[in-house]
Structure formats: structure tokens, C-alpha cells
Amino acid sequence: PVSAARMIRRAAEYRAALDPDHAEGWVLGVDQLDDILVLRPGGLYVVGALSKSGKSKLQVWIGHGLASFGVPVLDLSLEMGRDLRWDWYVSRHLGLDSSVIGTQAMPRPDVEALLAASHPVYGLSLTIDDRPSRTLRDVGLAVQEWRAGTSGPGVVLLDYLQLMHLERERGESEATALARTARGLAVEARRSGCAWVVTAQLNRAAEEDEPGPQHLEGSGGIAQAAAGMLLL
């Protein structure tokens, strides 16, 4: 049975959805993106692109922007270690090319700013978790643990979908397992009350054609699970 209080809560959510000026969620501050993608708590958002095409850096740009405004951000990096991932956040904060972080080309004033304990980059509402080869259950538990120490809705970044450890059922293809995993991520997003931004790699066919959902392995299930998709 559904309680009256729950029905009232749902009515308020529907009203907010009809009123964009009061709907809960976050825009990214770029008109072309905000026209097609508003991150709302409980939604799964997929960023698909070819390898080395900037999807991870776009994800860090989103994470840095929201964390700078005090939105709690959990960055689950399956592809790279936390040190490199952190360097990307630092480069966003200092306006540097990330390739000069930690090298002799890094300007001395930026080194001193980075080392200063009061530097605002250390105040970001940001947690980076670089444990590799995570199952859907591992990811769900990591988010639950993180949520226990945060308040209000937050954003979970997962980079990237195909690097998750897929627990395939007998006779199941990889595409089917990916689609089932995407549906599981959508369930975890709703359960956590956070917006999840998950990157996914497109197959090589996208190099010869306009990128589309069909270039994602398990594309049908992923598209159905996602509240929004952005293809680079």
C-alpha cells in the first residue's frame, strides 16, 4: 500500500518536473549542453565516445564544476589511478594544462599555490576511489559508504562502463551483460538519490559514421536505462 504522505511527495516531484525553474538538479553552465542534459538526482546519464576522445576529461570538468559549488562528488575511476585523476582536477582548478602537473614545466607560482594548505582545491567536496575491476555490487556498496558521510543529493562519476567486472550469466553475451549492468546502475542511481554520470566507449564503427547509441555495446539496454545520453 502507498501512504498518503508518499503520494503527496510524488505530487511535489511531478510539479517540480513540470516547472523547470524549480526542478531539482544541476545544469553545467554551457547553453548547448544545458539544452539537452540536466543532471537530476536519481538519474543515470551516459557519456559515450571513442577511445582518447575526451570523455574522461569532460567527466572531470563536470565533477570539478559541481564540487566547486559544494555538491558532493564521488569519482569512481576504473581506468586511471587517483594521482593522475587528481592532477586533472588540479589542472581545472589552477587553469593549467594537465600534462605539466608534476613536471619542470609547471610554473613556480602554481607549485607554491598547490602546496599551500589553504589552497581551495583541497576544499572541494570530492572523493576519488580508484579501486579497479568493480562489480555492480562493489559499486553500490562504495556509493552507500560514501553517502553515509554526505548530506543532500550528490553526483557519482563512473569511468568507464566497459571496465566494470561483468558477472555474466551462462550463455550470456557481453552486450547483454552490459545492458543488464546499465539497468543495475540505474537502479543504484535511484536508490542513492544521486545523479550518476557514467562514461562508455563506442565501438570502432563510430569512426566511420556519426556516433549514435547503436555504437555502444548493449546499446538498447543502455539507452533504456539512461535518463540522458551525450555522444561525443
Side-chain angles (χ1 to χ4, degrees):
V2 180
S3 68
R6 174 66 178 164
M7 292 173 67
I8 291 171
R9 229 173 14 249
R10 290 299 290 157
E13 291 172 5
Y14 295 147
R15 190 177 298 113
L18 293 171
D19 187 355
D21 292 333
H22 296 93
E24 190 174 23
W26 304 280
V27 294
L28 304 174
V30 177
D31 290 342
Q32 294 91 331
L33 285 176
D34 294 339
D35 285 343
I36 60 172
L37 193 66
V38 178
L39 304 180
R40 301 196 190 282
L44 173 68
Y45 302 89
V46 176
V47 178
L50 291 165
S51 177
K52 311 300 181 186
S53 59
K55 61 184 180 298
S56 298
K57 285 202 171 182
L58 173 62
Q59 196 180 45
V60 166
W61 176 81
I62 292 171
H64 174 264
L66 294 174
S68 297
F69 282 101
V71 178
V73 174
L74 173 63
D75 190 321
L76 299 171
S77 178
L78 306 184
E79 184 176 24
M80 66 183 70
R82 71 180 68 191
D83 290 343
L84 179 56
R85 195 77 168 180
W86 172 247
D87 286 348
W88 283 10
Y89 281 99
V90 170
S91 71
R92 288 293 318 156
H93 216 77
L94 298 181
L96 287 173
D97 180 345
S98 61
S99 65
V100 306
I101 299 283
T103 70
Q104 292 182 341
M106 189 173 177
R108 173 62 60 181
D110 293 325
V111 175
E112 293 171 353
L114 181 61
L115 294 176
S118 60
H119 195 278
V121 72
Y122 296 118
L124 294 179
S125 303
L126 173 68
T127 302
I128 301 177
D129 184 340
D130 64 350
R131 286 173 284 183
S133 190
R134 312 294 292 277
T135 65
L136 178 60
R137 183 173 183 274
D138 292 335
V139 168
L141 290 174
V143 173
Q144 287 180 35
E145 180 183 0
W146 168 72
R147 287 289 286 148
T150 64
S151 59
V155 174
V156 176
L157 310 176
L158 177 66
D159 188 34
Y160 58 93
L161 177 59
Q162 284 92 341
L163 286 180
M164 289 186 65
H165 180 70
L166 300 178
E167 297 178 302
R168 292 164 67 170
E169 298 176 357
R170 183 185 296 273
E172 187 177 51
S173 68
E174 183 176 358
T176 302
L178 277 170
R180 182 166 50 79
T181 300
R183 290 193 295 270
L185 290 174
V187 170
E188 292 293 343
R190 291 194 297 271
R191 181 179 298 162
S192 67
C194 296
W196 289 42
V197 181
V198 178
T199 55
Q201 196 155 299
L202 301 179
N203 59 38
R204 291 298 179 186
E207 294 179 347
E208 308 297 331
D209 196 6
E210 185 73 17
Q214 71 275 14
H215 296 122
L216 278 169
E217 293 295 335
S219 58
I222 294 173
Q224 290 174 2
M229 295 184 71
L230 179 64
L231 301 177
L232 305 182

